[in-house]
Amino acid sequence: MASYKPVVVQSFPKLGEKITQDTLYWKNYKTPVQIKEFGAVNKIDFSPIPPHNYAVTASSRIHIYGRYSQEPIKTFSRFKDAAYCATYRDDGRLLVAGSEEGVVRLFDISGRAALRQFDGHTKAVHVVDFLSDKYRIFSGADDYTSKLWDIPSATEIVSYSEHTDYVRCGCTSKLNTDLFVTGGRYVKVWDILKGGQLLVSLKNHHKTVTCLCLSSSGQRLLSGSLDRHVKVYSTTSYKVVHSFDYAASILSLALAPEDETIVVGMTNGVLNVRHRKHEESKERFPKKKRPGYRTFVKGRNYMPKQEDFFVSKPVRSHLKKYDKLLKSFQVSKALDVVLEARNRTPEITVAVMQELNRRGTLKNALAGRDETQLSILLAFLIRYVVEPRFAPMLIKVAEMIIDIYLPVVGQSAVIDKQFLRLQEIIEKEIDYQAELLEVLGMMDALFATMTRKKATSLEENKTHGILRVPEQATSN
């Protein structure tokens, strides 16, 4: 008997992610820590001084977390309704926050009660920040106004009413004590030195952008959105260099100094905290010294002489489990084995099906299955039947299954539901294919019309076999 030949698994090209320096940098974070807050997290702000605690504004509270703490180390809760936009001062000693009731409150980090309260807005204050002189605060509210406040006297300095919509975001200059910017939620980059020229408008999110922050180097801009994505842009080209995915819509985003920690707050009240991996932790366990490269290649290039005796060691091949079962003609068990790993290796499952089909035993392997085994097989078909790599083989498998199990349809609600789902997927794919054929026909007609027009214009310019040059071309 001829020796058994293992099943040949066809390899398909994979479109892998392009590995860049940004990919390596932004993927170098540990598994995220999830912290549940009392409500949607609308602002996160890191203290500018060590140990760089961060303030989380959610519901009617402001929680202060340590860098690695999973419970708040301090809480400010003197709010009648929702609190917004708790922000540190540059020296890390004061914290300012807006509120749903239209009041701006100033807190001392070492205390709990509010040091100052600024009344003047008639609607919710969503944005507050300190000016660079540290003695003034600006605020923006849903009453379409922006105001400047004096901290020592707790009085309003000036009010601006240029906005015609809610003021939901703002930023102060760290260089000019009189410069701040407010706006709505379109992400646009302006050059103030060129008279307010618009440099770029970022449209990479398909829902509202809710938060922005810069990396520690200032060379990367991060934006969070209700579409559950955080995009990382290069500040030189403003192209997306990396992206993070989250489980819910994002309302707030912050980076610790040196990008050591990235914290994201979501609408479901979850605080997602990722800490950067450190290189020294990777070298905690010393590597075992292994034989050098020369040990393995020693004697490989030796040419045997005429008087030498050449002894070759037979290479022993190890068969996979499904190959062993196929070798012993256990076709049904071989198919069961590859279906168990259906989520990881669909290529192997389809390759075994092709081998069974080549042998003429595929129908035998599919028959005689109980409800659980048939459900696993149908689940595999539902997932991969319309994938171009596997469709030819899996369509044949689906036809065989229908022929075999048609007499028992109606005896299991689970199997009946899977058959209906399989039918729905195939019908939808047929509709897609029909639409694509229609589009292809339109494109063929369009290209044919363009070619005919070009050929007709050339024919009109020919006279007695000589190409006539248009008068405009000769005049030019």
Side-chain angles (χ1 to χ4, degrees), residues 9 53 64 88 112 194 205 219 225 234 265 294 336 391 455 469:
V9 180
N53 297 334
I64 308 297
Y88 280 99
R112 291 189 180 274
K194 293 184 179 179
H205 293 282
Q219 297 180 358
S225 168
S234 166
R294 290 182 296 176
D336 290 338
V469 181

Side-chain angles (χ1 to χ4, degrees), residues 250-287:
I250 297 167
L251 288 180
S252 52
L253 165 70
L255 273 173
E258 304 301 324
D259 304 336
E260 283 293 317
T261 309
I262 179 171
V263 186
V264 168
M266 293 174 275
T267 53
N268 60 358
V270 171
L271 198 66
N272 187 292
V273 185
R274 300 187 186 196
H275 299 289
R276 182 168 290 283
K277 298 175 184 175
H278 295 287
E279 294 298 326
E280 56 268 19
S281 62
K282 297 180 181 179
E283 299 178 358
R284 188 177 301 171
F285 302 101
K287 293 182 179 179

Side-chain angles (χ1 to χ4, degrees), residues 469-476:
V469 181
E471 294 180 1
Q472 291 181 355
T474 55
S475 62
N476 292 336

Side-chain angles (χ1 to χ4, degrees), residues 35-58:
I35 302 173
K36 182 64 178 174
E37 281 288 345
F38 291 96
V41 181
N42 63 74
K43 181 65 186 287
I44 304 164
D45 191 50
F46 276 91
S47 172
I49 62 171
H52 302 298
N53 297 334
Y54 57 94
V56 176
T57 313

